[in-house]
Amino acid sequence: MKNSMIVAALMTASFSAAAITPESSWEEVLKEAEGQTVYFNAWGGSPQINQYLRWANQSLQSEYKVTLEHVKVGDIAETVNRLLAEKTAGKHTGGSVDMVWINGENFKSMKQHALLWGPFVTMLPNWQYVDKSLPIDVDFTEPTLGLEAPWGVGQLVFIHDTERLKKPPRSFNALLDYAQENPGRISYPQPPEFHGSSFLKAALIELSGNDERLYKPVNHDEFDTISAPLWQYLDALHKVAWQKGQRFPASSAETKQLLDDGQLDLAITFNPNDANASIAAGSLTPSAHTFAFEKGALSNIHFMGIPWNAENAAGALVAINFLISPEAQIRKSDSEVWGDPAIIDTSKLTGETQGFDLFPSLPEPHPSWQVALEESWQQRYGVQ
């Protein structure tokens, strides 16, 4: 009942400003989209992803006369804050953003403030190819309600050089043991960088025994008790970490560079195919290998959404429909292109496969835990 009321409210707020509605035919969407330029706000920190989006733009221009303009951002939260400012200012049409790459806390924030256009996923002809067995109806425990379309699968995994480290640690406790035996060889990206925050969540899941309270909104009266094992763990890890825990890599990309330079023994990534993609790109040695801890890999789906005030919502629908197509998804999963796992059921596509298996999954905690952990981490370790 509550979800139905949310959807009804979002539809009233969203479609009043658009020329198309959920009742529009796909032919009407295609006609309106012709000639539109879609401003897609998405993380721009990966050359492979940037190149993939340039290919998608060329395909969209050729097939649909739609231009996909990749607006590179460092943190999509910046875009969410800009959209919130536009709504506060009463800018309900002609928005600066047509499409966003989101998940987790940013999706929750956009949904909570009715910043999303839709629901729209069942309008997309290529929705039929999406693997419905994946957890695409929730985003970090938050129901998606058709307000965002899945784009790929993320898993927090590690990369090691099999020539230098033949038996990597397979749990967070084993990681601490390894770090104490090999000082200066282990680190993780500095929160609130996405991979760093994910490292905190994955560690807390294991160290707390996968406490079921992690999947509910944070109860601040219980936060200190539940998170205590994590801070004890990090206190010990930082003493023997790279740079003695006084400095942290800025990103997943920096951990890979430090691994390749021989300064770290493990890199961290949210792409289970990253080692293969990096080897193909020449940025990691051929002996690089991806692995997950024994209890599984923190996993989530990443999505695409359309702001409620998008100037070119029809073009965004066409772009999203193309990006979830078998053609675009199979190309995306190619290690020599991006290597991001597909969200379509590739086993049903004749002659096609994404060529690798996902690791056993651990679900994401409730989004409020990420915020609470980042704030607490910053208070404890942020100022050195």
Side-chain angles (χ1 to χ4, degrees):
M1 181 63 180
K2 183 178 178 181
N3 288 344
S4 298
M5 294 175 64
I6 292 173
V7 170
L10 289 169
M11 289 178 65
T12 301
S14 300
F15 290 110
S16 61
I20 54 174
T21 73
E23 287 72 37
S24 298
S25 69
W26 190 247
E27 287 72 22
E28 290 172 325
V29 172
L30 290 173
K31 183 177 180 181
E32 183 173 319
E34 279 191 16
Q36 290 188 345
T37 296
V38 177
Y39 293 95
F40 181 25
N41 280 229
W43 182 60
S46 165
Q48 291 91 344
I49 297 174
N50 298 345
Q51 178 60 37
Y52 175 77
L53 289 175
R54 284 193 285 273
W55 166 81
N57 173 48
Q58 292 170 357
S59 299
L60 282 162
Q61 286 185 339
S62 174
E63 297 180 34
Y64 303 102
K65 298 179 181 177
V66 170
T67 298
L68 185 67
E69 183 75 30
H70 181 192
V71 180
K72 301 180 181 68
V73 297
D75 186 341
I76 204 66
E78 300 165 8
T79 300
V80 175
N81 289 335
R82 178 148 49 91
L83 290 168
L84 191 57
E86 289 183 1
K87 184 150 192 174
T88 302
K91 190 176 180 61
H92 298 302
T93 60
S96 61
V97 182
D98 295 311
M99 190 170 144
V100 289
W101 183 13
I102 53 172
N103 69 357
E105 178 61 22
N106 291 311
F107 169 69
K108 179 176 179 291
S109 179
M110 290 190 72
K111 181 183 173 186
Q112 180 179 6
H113 293 99
L115 299 180
L116 287 161
W117 193 96
F120 67 87
V121 296
T122 56
M123 296 176 68
L124 308 174
N126 287 327
W127 182 247
Q128 64 180 304
Y129 298 112
V130 172
D131 184 353
K132 309 303 191 300
S133 69
L134 293 170
I136 57 173
D137 56 348
V138 293
D139 186 346
F140 286 52
T141 74
E142 187 73 24
T144 57
L145 304 180
L147 293 167
E148 56 180 3
W151 193 15
V153 182
Q155 292 197 302
L156 187 71
V157 293
F158 301 86
I159 302 174
H160 70 116
D161 182 346
T162 56
E163 294 293 329
R164 291 194 283 119
L165 178 59
K166 298 188 182 302
K167 294 184 178 180
R170 295 286 184 169
S171 70
F172 279 95
N173 284 321
L175 179 67
L176 178 57
D177 291 341
Y178 180 84
Q180 290 172 333
E181 294 167 0
N182 302 273
R185 306 295 301 172
I186 297 295
S187 190
Y188 60 94
Q190 179 168 342
E193 196 276 342
F194 179 72
H195 299 83
S197 299
S198 297
F199 181 88
L200 301 185
K201 289 184 288 184
L204 181 55
I205 288 173
E206 178 179 312
L207 298 169
S208 70
N210 203 5
D211 194 312
E212 62 180 16
R213 291 172 291 183
L214 295 175
Y215 303 98
K216 300 175 182 177
V218 171
N219 179 330
H220 292 282
D221 291 335
E222 299 177 331
F223 177 77
D224 288 345
T225 300
I226 297 172
S227 64
L230 174 65
W231 311 124
Q232 293 168 7
Y233 178 88
L234 294 180
D235 286 346
L237 180 64
H238 290 177
K239 291 177 182 176
V240 292
W242 179 72
Q243 301 286 320
K244 297 183 178 179
Q246 300 297 307
R247 179 173 173 265
F248 298 85
S251 64
S252 167
E254 187 174 352
T255 67
K256 288 194 292 183
Q257 183 62 57
L258 291 168
L259 172 67
D260 198 51
D261 291 344
Q263 295 189 52
L264 289 181
D265 286 339
L266 297 179
I268 297 175
T269 176
F270 226 96
N271 180 350
N273 199 27
D274 198 351
N276 293 333
S278 297
I279 292 169
S283 56
L284 282 180
T285 175
S287 54
H289 179 73
T290 302
F291 72 100
F293 283 170
E294 290 176 344
K295 291 186 179 298
L298 186 70
S299 303
N300 62 53
I301 306 292
H302 53 88
F303 296 85
M304 299 171 286
I306 304 171
W308 95 104
N309 65 347
E311 176 77 7
N312 303 298
L317 285 169
V318 171
I320 292 172
N321 186 61
F322 174 75
L323 290 171
I324 66 171
S325 69
E327 175 191 5
Q329 284 284 309
I330 290 169
R331 183 179 178 86
K332 181 169 69 73
S333 66
D334 187 334
S335 298
E336 296 188 359
V337 177
W338 175 356
D340 187 49
I343 48 81
I344 58 173
D345 188 351
T346 53
S347 66
K348 294 182 180 178
L349 300 176
T350 303
E352 300 287 357
T353 175
Q354 65 184 31
F356 62 96
D357 296 324
L358 294 174
F359 295 99
S361 297
L362 291 173
E364 286 274 0
H366 187 275
S368 57
W369 277 93
Q370 178 165 323
V371 177
L373 290 172
E374 288 171 349
E375 291 177 350
S376 189
W377 189 96
Q378 188 66 27
Q379 292 170 2
R380 292 169 182 272
Y381 312 115
V383 178
Q384 302 289 341

